[in-house]
Amino acid sequence: MDVKKIPHINEVSAFHGEYDPKDCEPKSTVRFDERQKNSKKVLPSIEEAIKRSGLKDGMTISFHHHFRNGDYVVNMVIDEIAKMGIKNLTLAASSLTDCHWPLIEHIKNGVITHIETSGLRGKLAEEISRGLMDFPIIFRSHGGRAAAIETGELHIDVAFLGAPSCDPYGNANGYNRDDENSSCCGSLGYAKLDAQHADTCIIITDHLVNFPNAPFGIAESRVDWVVVVDNIGDPKGIMSGATRYTKNPKELLIAKTAAEVIEASGYFEDNFSMQMGSGGASLATARFLRDKMIAKDIKCRFALGGITGQIVQMHEEGLVKKILDVQSFDLIAANSLKNNRFHQQIDASYYASYVNKGAAVNQLDFVILSALEIDVDFNVNVMTGSDGVIRGAVGGHPDTAAGASLTVVTAPLLRGRIPTVCERVNTICTPGSTIDVLVTDQGVAVNPNRPELKEKLIAAGLPVTTIEKLKERAEKVVGKPEPIQYTDRIVGVLMYRNNTVIDVIRQIKED
Amino acid sequence: MNIITTGVAGTMESSDIIVTIEPKANDGIELSLESDVMQQFGKQIEKVIRETLDELGVKAAKVTAVDKGALDCTVAARTLAAAYRAAESTDYVFKEVKAK
């Protein structure tokens, strides 16, 4: 019969004519264990993978930052791309750090002409602050980047994703279930999203394991090629054994006060939800909160975000019921992701996007964040240092600040001679309208748009003052700093989480 | 106060300043300053050092200061101590160092 004559067949979508056995690949009859040894996805070199990806001048490549300062993948891949003579690329990494200084050479040679990232540190950041690149760096928050990728506005041609374990078909993970693996990074939250949306996805691993590498962070259905290399990173730089617990009395005082603020805020009730940063004071706050949870006999419904051993300990004690993990900050967190059933790996979109159908930051009761600077309008800078040089990362700061019912910023009033509270921050990363409370070692300030919160904190006997008074106090001790000198040239653009420009970074002026 | 030898006071610890004062043939204070907070506080640190030496009546000296974010009171105290040592004087006048 003629299948085209079937009634309404032309109105049926995904109709490709009549079945013909010749159209189909012959089935393999080799035993699977043999077959997986010859998986066509596994390529002998990064060079071969770049060739197969069809990477050309002017395209966009992406990387994740789960290997932090121990990452070898970015430098390894871009060295190879440079050797192949490909130029004018956009590097859209989820973040970049100190170890990526060799990019300076590739920028000078025209291999990389534009960078999008959440952060930048070290020599590369200094060079960029001094005007290395013509095209300003585009800084996006984790949520803003996720949104840009999933709407297709930031189109990734080729994603090069390092993975501590992968099977011959591309099921990749941030740890290894089969044996000890030194380059464990835990969650692959930022890589998951890139794998989902890149035209070509290449997994780079130093640990090829048998299929199926389950449960996996990245699924084979999204992976084009797998390359095995000797080392994807330096385990010591990828993560520490356990995130350091501060002994600094100033940080402990801030943490104790922050915990008291949360307790008095009205958000510290049974089944609350929270996110903690990995800074000293923020981590210590978790410990003070733990004691309060036990005393009050309440539980946390879920902890979100960058996860540390402190949160894992509370999870294993039954104090935190579930963990949503976009990035594991230490080995305890990574091992928990592997071993604890209710420690869930999430991607960057689920974490913080503003355009998807639901992001976990919007389900937060409170978040504790840090700040390099905070001004009298509560705007926060986490990007440029006191000398105006780039040395930070936006991360999920603006995303969680906007999503949480209570956003607490913890910071010392002074760092050496530099006041944290100032008239106007060097760079606005998070708008003051989303910050509710500032906790310093010398007092607490509540955003005037939260008068009811201020009442509660005063009633609880907390040292509440105004942010203007904190600024005056700082200036009384250290004096009034002279403003940083910049040229007119823009070297960086800060995109708020909805991808609108919230601020720019200018080239520093040098004598 | 006459500077007759090399006097040093302070440390390289953060929030401190190390001040070295040496003799100089002709009148005038020759100051070289390095600071972690040069942009924000360089002028202020220089002012404190010069005023402190002026109050002591130091007319000629070569001053080298490496600052690690010291407060004004520390800058003044280290400058005073270095000057006394460089003048080989022990006629200390103990008093509160006021912010300039």
Side-chain angles (χ1 to χ4, degrees):
Chain A
M1 68 171 281
D2 183 355
V3 293
K4 292 200 177 105
K5 290 195 171 139
I6 299 169
H8 295 288
I9 193 70
N10 289 328
E11 297 158 41
V12 172
S13 52
F15 159 66
H16 300 289
E18 190 180 353
Y19 169 72
D20 181 345
K22 291 199 294 293
D23 293 342
C24 302
E25 288 246 337
K27 87 194 217 91
S28 172
T29 53
V30 179
R31 212 169 75 83
F32 175 69
D33 216 34
E34 286 303 311
R35 250 195 285 159
Q36 72 167 318
K37 282 176 194 148
N38 300 310
S39 164
K40 286 184 188 125
K41 272 193 190 175
V42 181
L43 298 179
S45 66
I46 290 175
E47 186 191 356
E48 185 62 27
I50 295 168
K51 274 187 195 154
R52 300 272 191 112
S53 74
L55 186 69
K56 287 185 190 66
D57 290 6
M59 284 187 165
T60 297
I61 54 175
S62 91
F63 298 87
H64 67 70
H65 70 290
H66 290 287
F67 301 158
R68 285 160 282 265
N69 207 28
D71 178 56
Y72 292 166
V73 175
V74 171
N75 295 336
M76 193 182 341
V77 170
I78 296 179
D79 280 349
E80 206 58 57
I81 289 173
K83 270 189 225 154
M84 294 168 71
I86 301 168
K87 302 238 181 225
N88 197 21
L89 296 178
T90 292
L91 165 59
S94 60
S95 203
L96 295 169
T97 189
D98 304 63
C99 68
H100 299 120
W101 62 267
L103 288 175
I104 295 170
E105 219 34 58
H106 296 309
I107 292 166
K108 287 181 179 164
N109 295 340
V111 178
I112 304 293
T113 45
H114 170 38
I115 294 178
E116 295 221 358
T117 178
S118 153
L120 214 53
R121 292 173 205 270
K123 279 190 236 169
L124 175 61
E126 280 173 33
E127 289 282 327
I128 282 165
S129 288
R130 295 191 162 85
L132 175 67
M133 293 187 86
D134 176 52
F135 198 143
I137 305 281
I138 303 299
F139 291 101
R140 295 187 203 273
S141 73
H142 291 326
R145 179 180 191 267
I149 291 172
E150 66 199 348
T151 54
E153 294 167 293
L154 173 54
H155 178 85
I156 300 169
D157 293 297
V158 188
F160 295 91
L161 305 175
S165 72
C166 186
D167 66 35
Y169 298 93
N171 295 291
N173 228 332
Y175 51 81
N176 184 356
R177 200 159 268 286
D178 296 325
D179 51 44
E180 280 309 304
N181 183 5
S182 52
S183 59
C184 166
C185 71
S187 176
L188 285 178
Y190 301 114
K192 280 163 85 76
L193 188 80
D194 292 22
Q196 195 65 35
H197 295 279
D199 283 352
T200 302
C201 174
I202 299 167
I203 301 289
I204 296 168
T205 188
D206 52 8
H207 220 93
L208 194 68
V209 300
N210 279 330
F211 178 89
N213 186 25
F216 38 79
I218 293 170
E220 62 173 315
S221 47
R222 299 302 315 165
V223 176
D224 295 87
W225 310 110
V226 177
V227 181
V228 185
V229 297
D230 291 340
N231 285 302
I232 51 171
D234 171 11
K236 286 199 273 314
I238 292 176
M239 53 173 47
S240 57
T243 313
R244 182 187 61 95
Y245 182 73
T246 185
K247 290 195 178 91
N248 178 333
K250 202 195 266 185
E251 285 186 341
L252 287 172
L253 174 62
I254 296 168
K256 182 168 171 282
T257 312
E260 285 164 4
V261 163
I262 286 160
E263 187 181 25
S265 69
Y267 297 101
F268 192 63
E269 299 297 328
D270 199 24
N271 275 322
F272 71 91
S273 58
M274 65 175 175
Q275 176 166 342
M276 306 272 168
S278 64
S282 172
L283 264 183
T285 308
R287 185 168 294 194
F288 287 108
L289 283 178
R290 175 182 169 273
D291 295 343
K292 290 184 190 298
M293 286 166 73
I294 293 167
K296 218 176 156 183
D297 191 25
I298 61 169
K299 305 275 192 288
C300 169
R301 177 68 189 161
F302 75 90
L304 173 67
I307 299 299
T308 62
Q310 311 277 335
I311 297 292
V312 168
Q313 187 201 341
M314 288 162 82
H315 177 55
E316 290 176 350
E317 287 172 337
L319 291 169
V320 172
K321 290 179 188 167
K322 297 189 180 181
I323 297 176
L324 301 176
D325 186 349
V326 71
Q327 181 180 11
S328 317
F329 278 133
D330 57 29
L331 266 181
I332 300 174
N335 283 324
S336 166
L337 180 70
K338 179 169 155 179
N339 299 324
N340 289 323
R341 187 174 169 194
F342 293 109
H343 185 153
Q344 166 86 40
Q345 181 166 196
I346 60 169
D347 68 40
S349 168
Y350 183 102
Y351 172 48
S353 170
Y354 76 99
V355 291
N356 67 9
K357 296 174 185 177
V361 290
N362 298 324
Q363 283 112 38
L364 278 174
D365 277 318
F366 61 84
V367 61
I368 301 174
L369 297 168
S370 59
L372 289 172
E373 287 180 311
I374 179 164
D375 66 29
V376 289
D377 296 320
F378 288 84
N379 297 309
V380 174
N381 169 21
V382 287
M383 179 54 75
T384 46
S386 59
D387 51 2
V389 175
I390 300 165
R391 61 165 55 104
V394 183
H397 202 286
D399 304 308
T400 51
S405 307
L406 174 70
T407 301
V408 180
V409 168
T410 56
L413 185 64
L414 304 168
R415 287 184 173 94
R417 196 174 181 168
I418 303 296
T420 305
V421 185
C422 56
E423 186 66 35
R424 173 61 68 202
V425 291
N426 274 324
T427 309
I428 300 177
C429 301
T430 300
S433 58
T434 60
I435 306 292
D436 300 303
V437 189
L438 166 66
V439 177
T440 74
D441 48 319
Q442 303 197 31
V444 173
V446 182
N447 192 322
N449 65 21
R450 297 296 301 269
E452 85 299 348
L453 188 61
K454 187 173 181 175
E455 291 298 307
K456 281 184 185 152
L457 302 190
I458 291 170
L462 281 151
V464 178
T465 176
T466 64
I467 197 151
E468 288 82 7
K469 289 221 174 85
L470 285 175
K471 180 188 147 251
E472 282 164 25
R473 196 181 168 113
E475 282 179 2
K476 208 176 145 196
V477 178
V478 300
K480 203 176 175 115
E482 288 180 43
I484 311 279
Q485 300 295 310
Y486 295 101
T487 70
D488 288 339
R489 187 168 167 206
I490 293 170
V491 297
V493 176
L494 270 294
M495 293 286 188
Y496 186 54
R497 62 190 305 250
N498 63 0
N499 291 320
T500 57
V501 176
I502 190 165
D503 206 350
V504 295
I505 302 171
R506 291 177 196 274
Q507 183 178 341
I508 52 166
K509 197 184 240 172
E510 290 169 299
D511 304 325
Chain B
M1 183 178 270
N2 285 327
I3 304 302
I4 53 175
T5 183
T6 301
V8 184
T11 69
M12 298 286 277
E13 297 292 317
S14 62
S15 300
D16 201 349
I17 180 170
I18 185 160
V19 180
T20 307
I21 301 184
E22 293 165 273
K24 185 164 160 283
N26 44 350
D27 267 9
I29 306 293
E30 181 192 323
L31 174 63
S32 99
L33 171 67
E34 269 179 53
S35 172
D36 289 351
V37 292
M38 201 65 186
Q39 284 222 28
Q40 300 94 324
F41 293 105
K43 282 181 197 151
Q44 174 66 10
I45 297 165
E46 178 166 352
K47 179 171 166 256
V48 173
I49 293 173
R50 285 188 183 279
E51 284 181 11
T52 306
L53 293 173
D54 194 47
E55 279 166 27
L56 288 173
V58 175
K59 297 270 182 286
K62 181 170 175 256
V63 182
T64 314
V66 181
D67 170 63
K68 298 285 170 188
L71 299 179
D72 283 352
C73 52
T74 312
V75 176
R78 294 305 193 191
T79 306
L80 276 172
Y84 272 87
R85 287 168 187 167
E88 292 187 338
S89 163
T90 51
D91 303 330
Y92 302 126
V93 184
F94 290 101
K95 59 170 185 179
E96 187 184 343
V97 175
K98 292 260 164 51
K100 304 282 169 188

